[in-house]
Amino acid sequence: MESIIVDDITILFDPNEKPSADLLAETCAESIPVIFALWGLKVPPKCKIYVMTSWQKFLFQSAPWYRKIFIFLLFPLLYVQINRQWPKIAGWTLMGQPIIGIKAPSLLDLQDKEIGKKIYVPESDLNKKVQGYLCHELVHVCANHLQLPLWLNEGIAMYTVDKLSGKPTVKLETLKLLDNNPQKHRFLNYRTLANANVDEIVYNYVRGYWLARYLEKNYPGFVSQLLQRRQDERELLKHISDRLSIRPNEFWSRIDHKIVEEFTT
């Protein structure tokens, strides 16, 4: 594989994917200052970004030798699980590792768009889509050490793409999904995400995005303060509830309505 280094990030790619790598390098240079300005997060040392042409190749290339053994032993199970998710994946951050995979743009036209169509404002420029995917994953890799709950991890990543793009990237009509939603009490985490249905995934991502946007609009810098040290989900919710003057045990039953009121008036 060939490589490019930008801001201490190594971008690895097949020779025929050089244009994709150049686009990712440009996106890194633009995204990293935005991520730091919003959340105070920095890219971890030895961060690597792979231009993915297949998930099998990405897993084996990115893994240290001792993990290659486990991948080989578990490959039949991984094949079933990951192969089912692969059409829906545009970007991928390995949990606990400073490693990102971004699909080669040539593969994105084959991507399952069912979830994206429900959440995102349509974007016809493929390069801008790739930039958004990488910015999203860069937030995840910067926040990896905090082990954030899904709603906050995805929320800040989606909101950061807005700031990089200079415009909202999530449909305004997704606000309708927040109030009186049948999925309202189906809280997903990264273990249950793979087996969730489309409506559950959409609701959890949308809720995280609008909550991050609400907090940043009304309490700028507050989320950044929360991200300065690792806290469990209960601590995070307590801090947010206190700031919004909501009892912690009432937070999720009240916050969606407050968000809808804020952005529809």
Side-chain angles (χ1 to χ4, degrees):
M1 298 192 83
E2 296 186 3
S3 64
I4 297 173
I5 297 177
V6 55
D7 290 331
D8 295 325
I9 298 173
T10 303
I11 300 172
L12 298 113
F13 55 96
D14 293 332
N16 60 331
E17 293 294 343
K18 179 66 162 56
S20 302
D22 289 338
L23 177 63
L24 297 188
E26 178 186 329
T27 304
C28 286
E30 294 176 356
S31 299
I32 291 168
V34 176
I35 294 168
F36 182 75
L38 278 173
W39 318 120
L41 297 174
K42 298 179 180 180
V43 177
K46 299 180 181 179
C47 182
K48 295 180 180 179
I49 300 171
Y50 289 79
V51 179
M52 295 192 298
T53 54
S54 77
W55 67 262
Q56 299 97 325
K57 190 174 181 180
F58 169 61
L59 276 188
F60 277 104
Q61 287 177 335
S62 63
W65 67 267
Y66 55 89
R67 289 196 178 179
K68 285 183 171 68
I69 297 172
F70 290 104
I71 292 171
F72 179 79
L73 294 174
L74 297 173
F75 190 78
L77 179 61
L78 291 172
Y79 185 87
V80 173
Q81 292 181 340
I82 301 178
N83 211 47
R84 184 178 61 199
Q85 296 297 319
W86 177 248
K88 304 175 184 179
I89 294 171
W92 189 358
T93 297
L94 298 186
M95 297 301 289
Q97 300 177 63
I99 295 173
I100 296 171
I102 295 291
K103 254 185 187 171
S106 59
L107 298 181
L108 290 175
D109 287 341
L110 305 176
Q111 190 180 332
D112 183 342
K113 299 180 177 66
E114 184 179 8
I115 293 173
K117 282 182 177 179
K118 290 177 179 288
I119 297 176
Y120 297 107
V121 176
E123 176 56 74
S124 58
D125 189 321
L126 189 58
N127 283 353
K128 289 183 179 179
K129 291 179 73 170
V130 172
Q131 289 176 314
Y133 296 144
L134 177 55
C135 178
H136 186 111
E137 297 305 325
L138 280 169
V139 177
H140 287 337
V141 86
C142 291
N144 238 340
H145 65 290
L146 297 171
Q147 296 187 18
L148 299 174
L150 182 146
W151 53 269
L152 184 55
N153 202 33
E154 298 301 333
I156 63 172
M158 293 164 74
Y159 182 74
T160 306
V161 177
D162 280 10
K163 304 306 287 185
L164 179 69
S165 304
K167 61 184 180 181
T169 57
V170 173
K171 292 179 177 179
L172 185 62
E173 54 262 39
T174 57
L175 284 169
K176 298 175 183 177
L177 301 176
L178 297 187
D179 258 348
N180 304 314
N181 192 302
Q183 313 298 335
K184 194 172 182 67
H185 301 292
R186 177 75 165 104
F187 294 87
L188 296 180
N189 56 47
Y190 287 106
R191 290 187 300 276
T192 59
L193 185 64
N195 296 316
N197 64 47
V198 169
D199 290 337
E200 290 170 340
I201 294 171
V202 169
Y203 172 69
N204 277 264
Y205 274 61
V206 164
R207 178 179 59 188
Y209 166 80
W210 284 108
L211 177 56
R213 185 167 163 180
Y214 176 88
L215 292 172
E216 196 60 20
K217 177 183 178 183
N218 292 284
Y219 311 96
F222 171 61
V223 175
S224 177
Q225 294 173 15
L226 293 180
L227 302 179
Q228 295 313 298
R229 65 179 180 89
R230 181 177 167 184
Q231 304 178 69
D232 63 28
E233 186 170 6
R234 184 177 297 180
E235 287 180 281
L236 290 166
L237 279 175
K238 177 68 166 57
H239 289 308
I240 298 172
S241 299
D242 289 347
R243 191 64 185 264
L244 273 61
S245 300
I246 300 175
R247 293 178 180 175
N249 63 342
E250 297 177 352
F251 181 80
W252 290 118
S253 63
R254 293 181 57 189
I255 189 59
D256 285 352
H257 185 67
K258 288 176 72 71
I259 290 171
V260 171
E261 277 191 331
E262 176 74 26
F263 289 104
T264 57
T265 56

